[in-house]
Amino acid sequence: VTHQLRSPLAAILQYFEVLLGGIGGDLSDAQREMLTRAKERLESLMQLINDWLDMSRLSEGDIVKRLQPTPLAQCVDAALKGLEWAAKEKKVTVEVDLPGDLPLVHADPDSLREALSNLVANAVKYNREGGAVVIRAHQQGNCVMVSVEDTGIGIDAKEIPFIFDQFYRGKDREIRSQPGTGLGLAITQKVVRAHGGTLTVTSDKGKGSQFTFTLNVARGEPQAQGETP
Protein backbone atom coordinates (compact mmCIF):
# COMPACT_ATOMS: atom_id res chain seq x y z
CA VAL A 1 0.00 0.00 0.00
CA THR A 2 2.84 2.36 0.85
CA HIS A 3 4.45 1.75 -2.53
CA GLN A 4 1.19 2.09 -4.45
CA LEU A 5 0.35 5.39 -2.77
CA ARG A 6 3.73 7.06 -2.73
CA SER A 7 5.38 6.00 -6.00
CA PRO A 8 2.88 7.52 -8.49
CA LEU A 9 2.74 10.79 -6.54
CA ALA A 10 6.53 10.96 -6.34
CA ALA A 11 6.75 10.50 -10.11
CA ILE A 12 4.21 13.27 -10.73
CA LEU A 13 6.09 15.56 -8.34
CA GLN A 14 9.29 14.96 -10.31
CA TYR A 15 7.55 16.00 -13.52
CA PHE A 16 6.41 19.23 -11.87
CA GLU A 17 9.97 19.93 -10.76
CA VAL A 18 11.29 19.24 -14.27
CA LEU A 19 8.75 21.58 -15.83
CA LEU A 20 9.35 24.34 -13.29
CA GLY A 21 13.10 23.94 -13.81
CA GLY A 22 12.67 24.91 -17.47
CA ILE A 23 13.88 21.61 -18.90
CA GLY A 24 10.68 21.20 -20.89
CA GLY A 25 10.88 24.72 -22.29
CA ASP A 26 10.25 28.28 -21.21
CA LEU A 27 7.16 28.98 -19.16
CA SER A 28 4.98 32.06 -19.10
CA ASP A 29 4.29 33.67 -15.74
CA ALA A 30 0.75 32.28 -15.75
CA GLN A 31 1.95 28.75 -16.54
CA ARG A 32 4.58 28.89 -13.83
CA GLU A 33 2.04 30.09 -11.26
CA MET A 34 -0.42 27.30 -12.13
CA LEU A 35 2.26 24.62 -12.02
CA THR A 36 3.57 25.96 -8.72
CA ARG A 37 0.10 25.86 -7.16
CA ALA A 38 -0.49 22.33 -8.44
CA LYS A 39 2.89 21.22 -7.07
CA GLU A 40 2.08 22.72 -3.66
CA ARG A 41 -1.27 20.85 -3.56
CA LEU A 42 0.48 17.62 -4.49
CA GLU A 43 3.07 18.12 -1.76
CA SER A 44 0.27 18.65 0.76
CA LEU A 45 -1.41 15.44 -0.39
CA MET A 46 1.87 13.52 -0.09
CA GLN A 47 2.39 14.89 3.40
CA LEU A 48 -1.10 13.82 4.43
CA ILE A 49 -0.52 10.30 3.07
CA ASN A 50 2.87 10.06 4.78
CA ASP A 51 1.36 11.21 8.06
CA TRP A 52 -1.49 8.71 7.82
CA LEU A 53 0.92 5.88 7.08
CA ASP A 54 3.06 6.95 10.04
CA MET A 55 0.04 7.03 12.35
CA SER A 56 -0.95 3.54 11.21
CA ARG A 57 2.56 2.19 11.75
CA LEU A 58 2.85 3.72 15.20
CA SER A 59 -0.54 2.39 16.27
CA GLU A 60 0.71 -1.12 15.51
CA GLY A 61 3.62 -0.68 17.90
CA ASP A 62 6.32 -1.37 15.30
CA ILE A 63 8.59 1.30 16.74
CA VAL A 64 9.14 -0.59 20.00
CA LYS A 65 10.76 -3.48 18.13
CA ARG A 66 13.61 -1.32 16.81
CA LEU A 67 14.85 0.44 19.92
CA GLN A 68 18.65 0.46 20.14
CA PRO A 69 21.56 2.57 21.52
CA THR A 70 21.42 5.68 19.34
CA PRO A 71 23.53 8.86 19.08
CA LEU A 72 21.15 11.80 19.43
CA ALA A 73 23.45 14.11 17.47
CA GLN A 74 23.22 11.94 14.36
CA CYS A 75 19.42 11.97 14.50
CA VAL A 76 19.42 15.75 14.87
CA ASP A 77 21.73 16.14 11.86
CA ALA A 78 19.54 13.83 9.77
CA ALA A 79 16.39 15.74 10.76
CA LEU A 80 17.89 19.10 9.83
CA LYS A 81 19.04 18.03 6.36
CA GLY A 82 15.53 18.14 4.98
CA LEU A 83 14.75 21.53 6.54
CA GLU A 84 17.71 23.62 5.44
CA TRP A 85 15.92 25.18 2.47
CA ALA A 86 12.80 26.11 4.46
CA ALA A 87 14.90 27.79 7.16
CA LYS A 88 17.02 29.62 4.59
CA GLU A 89 13.96 30.82 2.67
CA LYS A 90 12.47 32.28 5.85
CA LYS A 91 15.84 33.55 7.10
CA VAL A 92 15.48 31.54 10.30
CA THR A 93 18.68 30.58 12.10
CA VAL A 94 18.80 26.98 13.38
CA GLU A 95 21.29 26.31 16.18
CA VAL A 96 22.23 22.96 17.74
CA ASP A 97 23.56 22.95 21.30
CA LEU A 98 24.44 19.38 22.36
CA PRO A 99 27.18 18.56 24.87
CA GLY A 100 29.93 16.32 23.56
CA ASP A 101 29.61 13.88 26.46
CA LEU A 102 25.89 13.26 25.97
CA PRO A 103 25.20 9.52 26.42
CA LEU A 104 23.56 7.33 23.81
CA VAL A 105 19.78 7.15 24.04
CA HIS A 106 17.55 4.07 23.82
CA ALA A 107 15.66 4.91 20.65
CA ASP A 108 14.56 3.99 17.17
CA PRO A 109 16.76 6.22 14.93
CA ASP A 110 14.24 6.67 12.10
CA SER A 111 11.29 7.51 14.34
CA LEU A 112 13.41 9.81 16.53
CA ARG A 113 14.58 11.65 13.42
CA GLU A 114 10.97 12.00 12.33
CA ALA A 115 9.89 13.40 15.70
CA LEU A 116 12.73 15.92 15.68
CA SER A 117 11.95 16.85 12.08
CA ASN A 118 8.29 17.52 12.95
CA LEU A 119 9.21 19.77 15.88
CA VAL A 120 11.88 21.72 13.99
CA ALA A 121 9.69 22.05 10.88
CA ASN A 122 6.94 23.62 13.01
CA ALA A 123 9.45 25.85 14.76
CA VAL A 124 10.59 27.16 11.37
CA LYS A 125 7.12 27.31 9.79
CA TYR A 126 5.54 29.33 12.61
CA ASN A 127 8.55 31.56 13.22
CA ARG A 128 9.07 35.18 12.33
CA GLU A 129 11.28 36.06 9.39
CA GLY A 130 14.79 36.40 10.77
CA GLY A 131 13.88 34.39 13.88
CA ALA A 132 15.77 31.56 15.54
CA VAL A 133 15.36 27.91 16.48
CA VAL A 134 17.57 26.22 19.07
CA ILE A 135 17.82 22.47 19.69
CA ARG A 136 19.25 21.62 23.09
CA ALA A 137 19.78 18.48 25.16
CA HIS A 138 21.21 17.53 28.54
CA GLN A 139 21.30 14.47 30.73
CA GLN A 140 19.08 14.38 33.79
CA GLY A 141 19.55 11.17 35.75
CA ASN A 142 18.68 8.20 33.54
CA CYS A 143 17.05 10.43 30.94
CA VAL A 144 18.13 12.87 28.25
CA MET A 145 16.00 16.01 28.02
CA VAL A 146 15.66 17.30 24.45
CA SER A 147 14.11 20.68 23.64
CA VAL A 148 13.25 22.61 20.48
CA GLU A 149 12.80 26.31 21.18
CA ASP A 150 11.71 29.00 18.74
CA THR A 151 11.07 32.74 18.62
CA GLY A 152 7.84 32.38 16.64
CA ILE A 153 4.21 33.36 17.01
CA GLY A 154 3.58 31.16 20.06
CA ILE A 155 0.46 29.27 21.07
CA ASP A 156 -2.61 30.59 22.86
CA ALA A 157 -2.82 29.06 26.35
CA LYS A 158 -6.40 27.93 25.67
CA GLU A 159 -5.26 25.84 22.71
CA ILE A 160 -2.30 24.04 24.32
CA PRO A 161 -4.45 21.15 25.69
CA PHE A 162 -5.56 20.32 22.12
CA ILE A 163 -2.42 20.70 19.99
CA PHE A 164 -1.50 17.00 20.22
CA ASP A 165 -4.93 15.88 18.96
CA GLN A 166 -5.07 14.45 15.46
CA PHE A 167 -5.97 17.03 12.79
CA TYR A 168 -6.10 19.88 15.29
CA ARG A 169 -4.83 23.20 13.97
CA GLY A 170 -4.77 26.46 15.90
CA LYS A 171 -7.40 29.10 15.31
CA ASP A 172 -4.83 31.87 14.87
CA ARG A 173 -4.90 33.36 11.37
CA GLU A 174 -1.11 33.06 11.06
CA ILE A 175 -1.34 29.35 11.80
CA ARG A 176 -4.23 28.77 9.40
CA SER A 177 -2.33 30.54 6.63
CA GLN A 178 0.41 27.89 6.73
CA PRO A 179 0.03 24.49 5.03
CA GLY A 180 -0.32 21.49 7.33
CA THR A 181 -2.32 18.37 8.14
CA GLY A 182 -2.62 18.69 11.91
CA LEU A 183 -0.94 15.31 12.37
CA GLY A 184 2.70 16.26 12.99
CA LEU A 185 2.44 16.84 16.73
CA ALA A 186 0.14 13.83 17.20
CA ILE A 187 2.74 11.64 15.50
CA THR A 188 5.54 13.16 17.54
CA GLN A 189 3.70 12.49 20.79
CA LYS A 190 3.14 8.84 19.79
CA VAL A 191 6.83 8.47 18.95
CA VAL A 192 7.90 9.91 22.29
CA ARG A 193 5.43 7.77 24.24
CA ALA A 194 6.58 4.65 22.38
CA HIS A 195 10.08 5.47 23.65
CA GLY A 196 8.74 5.62 27.20
CA GLY A 197 9.11 9.40 27.35
CA THR A 198 6.89 12.45 27.71
CA LEU A 199 6.39 15.47 25.45
CA THR A 200 5.48 18.86 26.94
CA VAL A 201 5.19 22.41 25.66
CA THR A 202 5.50 25.88 27.14
CA SER A 203 4.61 28.90 25.07
CA ASP A 204 4.33 32.65 25.30
CA LYS A 205 1.87 34.02 22.75
CA GLY A 206 3.70 36.29 20.32
CA LYS A 207 7.14 35.38 21.65
CA GLY A 208 7.71 31.71 20.91
CA SER A 209 7.36 28.13 22.09
CA GLN A 210 9.49 25.38 23.60
CA PHE A 211 8.75 21.68 23.10
CA THR A 212 10.59 19.31 25.42
CA PHE A 213 10.67 15.52 25.46
CA THR A 214 12.53 12.83 27.36
CA LEU A 215 14.46 9.80 26.18
CA ASN A 216 15.92 6.99 28.25
CA VAL A 217 19.69 6.67 28.40
CA ALA A 218 20.87 3.48 26.66
CA ARG A 219 22.17 0.80 28.99
CA GLY A 220 25.78 -0.34 28.82
CA GLU A 221 29.04 1.52 28.39
CA PRO A 222 28.57 5.21 27.46
CA GLN A 223 29.90 6.34 24.07
CA ALA A 224 30.51 9.78 22.62
CA GLN A 225 27.71 11.02 20.39
CA GLY A 226 29.85 10.85 17.27
CA GLU A 227 30.69 7.15 17.71
CA THR A 228 28.75 4.31 16.14
CA PRO A 229 27.16 2.01 18.71
Side-chain angles (χ1 to χ4, degrees), residues 147-150 154-155 157 160 163-164 199-205 207-212:
S147 67
V148 177
E149 184 177 356
D150 66 70
I155 306 167
I160 287 181
I163 62 173
F164 298 113
L199 173 63
T200 59
V201 58
T202 58
S203 186
D204 191 351
K205 183 65 175 176
K207 295 183 178 179
S209 304
Q210 180 176 351
F211 287 82
T212 303

Side-chain angles (χ1 to χ4, degrees), residues 97-160:
D97 182 14
L98 303 181
D101 60 350
L102 199 65
L104 298 176
V105 294
H106 191 52
D108 169 69
D110 291 337
S111 295
L112 178 54
R113 174 201 54 76
E114 182 179 16
L116 287 164
S117 180
N118 284 338
L119 292 178
V120 177
N122 279 351
V124 171
K125 182 193 301 186
Y126 300 115
N127 217 316
R128 310 290 188 186
E129 183 172 319
V133 176
V134 183
I135 304 156
R136 294 189 174 93
H138 68 276
Q139 184 176 0
Q140 184 172 307
N142 293 324
C143 293
V144 170
M145 309 288 292
V146 186
S147 67
V148 177
E149 184 177 356
D150 66 70
T151 58
I153 61 178
I155 306 167
D156 192 299
K158 295 179 181 178
E159 296 190 75
I160 287 181

